[in-house]
Amino acid sequence: MALGIASLRAIARTRLDTRRNIDFAWRSLARSISSTAARGAVHRGPTLATASGIHAPKPATLSRINQPQSRSMFIQTETTPNDDSLKFIPGVPVMGEGTAEFLDTRSALPSPLAIRLMGIEGVKAVFYGPDFVTVSKDSENPWAVVKPEIYSILMEHFSAGLPLFRSQEDRDAAGPQDTKILDTDSETVAMIKELLETRVRPAIMEDGGDIEYRGFSEEGLVKVKLKGSCRGCDSSTVTLKSGIERMLMHYIPEVKGVEQVMDEEEVIALDEFAKLEQRLVEKEDKGDTKMAKYMSL
């Protein structure tokens, strides 16, 4: 009888353990299904945003304005004839129409992006084109150090869709008005402006620069100013004489030549640079003279 009771108790415990194992198995299966569904939801959502490199926000409704923030942005660079200038192409419109140039922090105040770029050590000029940004640096800072900071600032600005200027008034004032044909312009000046706008400017923008019309003298000289990567470029003289001057003289007989003009700040800077080069040459000559005397002894 005692044996029979022990057997019954063992059978009861076995059935109880079996029921517990079954319940545990069902709960584990339910958790597995729930976690799988959650992983699927995660894969369908944030994984794509993470793959793009930009974590998109979770708006209540999608709109065309918010869509660019969820896509990846690739900023390309192109070299220019000026070794100290690079053309950055973000793949989205920059100015759209017209150009703008910033040569110092004060002139860059209307544009938050230009202010940040000018804050990078070594950057001395920023130029906006229709779909590109040209950044010019000094010769002391290599591109290997400057370029990553430029990439970061441009990526942050354009991926967030931030405005290029603080106000529409600043935007309108920044664009060039030099080739706008006025009622007071003569037929010759109107033709010069038309050629600069339709033929010369697009070609120069391919190199990350721009040209600004500054006047037409009684002697038949067209005065222009080179901007962007063309500023201070060694091949700018060739561009003026072999390209612009030849074309204008071909189409407009009244044009006798093309002359590049510079701002007062540029003239001062060039004078100071010339003086510095002269001092370095004189210092080297003195060093060579002392060495010659030493060798003669």
Side-chain angles (χ1 to χ4, degrees):
M1 186 66 180
L3 181 60
I5 293 174
S7 299
L8 290 174
R9 289 178 177 175
I11 294 171
R13 282 196 299 270
T14 302
R15 289 180 176 177
L16 181 60
D17 293 338
T18 302
R19 186 176 298 174
R20 288 176 178 174
N21 291 335
I22 293 174
D23 291 340
F24 178 80
W26 276 109
R27 287 195 297 270
S28 299
L29 179 61
R31 285 195 299 269
S32 176
I33 294 174
S34 176
S35 62
T36 302
R39 284 195 299 269
V42 171
H43 176 73
R44 290 190 296 270
T47 302
L48 297 179
T50 305
S52 66
I54 302 172
H55 295 277
K58 299 179 180 179
T61 57
L62 295 176
S63 66
R64 293 179 63 87
I65 296 176
N66 291 334
Q67 285 177 0
Q69 297 182 10
S70 61
R71 69 183 184 184
S72 59
M73 173 171 286
F74 299 95
I75 299 179
Q76 299 178 344
T77 59
E78 289 184 4
T79 57
T80 70
N82 188 346
D83 293 337
D84 288 328
S85 295
L86 269 183
K87 183 178 176 182
F88 295 83
I89 306 173
V92 296
V94 180
M95 285 287 287
E97 294 182 358
T99 61
E101 187 176 38
F102 311 95
L103 302 179
D104 50 40
T105 305
R106 182 177 180 181
S107 64
L109 288 176
S111 175
L113 175 59
I115 282 287
R116 295 189 62 190
L117 291 174
M118 292 294 292
I120 300 175
E121 184 177 358
V123 171
K124 62 179 184 179
V126 176
F127 177 81
Y128 295 158
D131 59 353
F132 65 88
V133 177
T134 298
V135 178
S136 301
K137 66 171 185 64
D138 56 32
S139 57
E140 298 177 358
N141 293 271
W143 281 117
V145 177
V146 178
K147 190 158 61 172
E149 296 188 60
I150 298 175
Y151 270 129
S152 177
I153 292 175
L154 293 178
M155 180 75 72
E156 180 181 346
H157 180 90
F158 288 109
S159 63
L162 299 176
L164 199 62
F165 293 90
R166 300 186 187 278
S167 65
Q168 185 61 38
E169 290 76 11
D170 292 333
R171 166 66 176 81
D172 295 337
Q177 305 292 329
D178 57 296
T179 54
K180 182 179 180 180
I181 299 176
L182 308 176
D183 296 335
T184 56
D185 289 338
S186 64
E187 183 179 352
T188 301
V189 172
M191 292 178 63
I192 293 172
K193 289 183 176 181
E194 180 69 19
L195 285 174
L196 290 177
E197 178 66 27
T198 60
R199 296 290 189 89
V200 178
R201 178 163 280 159
I204 292 183
M205 282 188 178
E206 288 293 324
D207 290 331
D210 194 14
I211 188 170
E212 181 180 341
Y213 171 76
R214 286 296 187 92
F216 181 62
S217 68
E218 296 179 356
E219 294 79 14
L221 293 178
V222 179
K223 298 181 179 181
V224 297
K225 178 180 176 60
L226 295 177
K227 305 167 67 176
S229 63
C230 298
R231 180 191 297 274
C233 178
D234 295 336
S235 60
S236 60
T237 303
V238 178
T239 302
L240 282 175
K241 297 299 179 181
S242 301
I244 303 172
E245 183 178 86
R246 183 178 299 177
M247 187 190 66
L248 291 178
M249 292 176 64
H250 174 76
Y251 287 103
I252 308 174
E254 291 82 359
V255 174
K256 305 303 179 183
V258 176
E259 181 181 49
Q260 182 178 2
V261 298
M262 293 182 291
D263 294 331
E264 183 179 354
E265 295 81 1
E266 293 179 277
V267 174
I268 295 175
L270 289 176
D271 289 342
E272 292 297 326
F273 184 74
K275 292 177 182 178
L276 176 61
E277 283 190 326
Q278 183 63 31
R279 288 196 296 267
L280 291 176
V281 170
E282 292 176 355
K283 187 176 181 180
E284 289 180 357
D285 292 341
K286 291 180 180 179
D288 293 340
T289 302
K290 291 181 179 180
M291 182 60 68
K293 290 182 180 180
Y294 177 78
M295 295 296 293
S296 63
L297 295 176

